Amino acid sequence: MIGNIQYSLKNYSKANDYFNLALKIINELKNENDYNSLKGYLYNNIGKIYQKQKHHQKAIKTFQKALLLDDFKKSGIPIYCYLNNNLNYSKLKLGNKSVVNKFEETLKIGDSIGSIPIQITSKHYLGEYYLQQKDTIQAIKYLIDAQQLAHKNNIFEDELLILQLLAKANITKEAFYNQRYIHLSDSLQDVERISRDKYARIEYETDQVTEEKKIVEK
């Protein structure tokens, strides 16, 4: 959870540190039933950090390592979908055009299990794929669906990325989508600022308590 918080605050180095600490702890749980899933989710988070840093080859290796842990298509459908989408998104970023079938496969699974995050991500990636292929009709269709789902379910970080793509895909409404992006971005920055202030205060107060404890011990 601390790693996820750092990731959302764009502290990718710190997030990576916490995810790797969690990986070390997970190795003590090898006899637990959800061992592979826990490890798979952590590899997925680490891979997403590489994506944010545009290290797509490293991201691909990390997602592939996670998929080798288990047959998640049978044992853990959600983690399979996350890894499948992210793996093929990095491939798309490196110019692989054959990934469209993988995104469609994951979207079908997301629809069948009623997973909103999987549906949003799959439609987002399909929209980006078709935008790259200059098929703006298909791109707009998937991106609007993804944006509406993200907005309705308060998944605003995804919505920001999708709004940027919609501005590129639909030139006639470019100003409208840019305006929505700016408004949402400003709102999220206010929330992020509050989160950073809270986090800094917790760190400061923790340091104070530690110092007081040392004085008492002396």
Side-chain angles (χ1 to χ4, degrees), residues 29-202:
L29 306 173
K30 286 183 179 177
N31 296 324
E32 299 294 327
N33 291 331
D34 57 353
Y35 169 76
N36 287 332
S37 292
L38 287 169
K39 204 164 186 178
Y41 277 114
L42 275 170
Y43 279 135
N44 184 60
N45 290 343
I46 292 168
K48 284 167 64 181
I49 290 172
Y50 287 136
Q51 283 185 329
K52 289 290 185 183
Q53 296 170 330
K54 299 183 180 178
H55 301 321
H56 289 290
Q57 289 289 5
K58 285 184 178 180
I60 287 168
K61 287 179 182 177
T62 306
F63 297 132
Q64 287 173 334
K65 189 189 291 186
L67 286 165
L68 289 173
L69 291 170
D70 203 343
D71 185 359
F72 287 121
K73 209 168 182 180
K74 293 178 181 177
S75 64
I77 280 288
I79 184 61
Y80 169 77
C81 290
Y82 297 138
L83 291 167
N84 188 49
N85 263 343
N86 289 326
L87 168 65
N88 288 289
Y89 184 68
S90 279
K91 288 182 177 180
L92 176 64
K93 285 297 189 180
L94 294 176
N96 188 330
K97 297 177 183 178
S98 66
V99 296
V100 62
N101 295 330
K102 294 293 185 180
F103 296 146
E104 287 170 349
E105 175 203 2
T106 311
L107 178 56
K108 284 179 184 176
I109 296 171
D111 288 343
S112 69
I113 65 175
S115 172
I116 299 298
I118 292 169
Q119 291 173 35
I120 291 169
T121 306
S122 300
K123 288 179 178 182
H124 168 188
Y125 292 169
L126 279 164
E128 191 162 341
Y129 166 82
Y130 282 111
L131 185 58
Q132 279 192 16
Q133 305 311 306
K134 303 193 187 316
D135 186 343
T136 53
I137 293 173
Q138 281 287 81
I140 291 168
K141 170 179 166 289
Y142 281 115
L143 291 171
I144 285 176
D145 284 351
Q147 185 264 326
Q148 289 175 347
L149 270 175
H151 188 80
K152 183 179 178 182
N153 292 278
N154 299 332
I155 305 177
F156 298 125
E157 287 187 16
D158 283 5
E159 186 179 4
L160 276 178
L161 297 171
I162 296 161
L163 285 169
Q164 283 182 307
L165 293 170
L166 276 167
K168 293 177 183 177
N170 194 343
I171 300 299
T172 58
K173 297 185 73 174
E174 181 181 6
F176 169 76
Y177 288 123
N178 281 334
Q179 189 174 7
R180 289 193 68 170
Y181 175 89
I182 292 166
H183 175 73
L184 181 57
S185 179
D186 287 346
S187 300
L188 289 176
Q189 281 178 15
D190 289 341
V191 172
E192 184 179 316
R193 197 173 295 113
I194 292 167
S195 298
R196 285 184 185 276
D197 288 346
K198 283 182 180 178
Y199 204 83
R201 191 166 67 251
I202 290 166

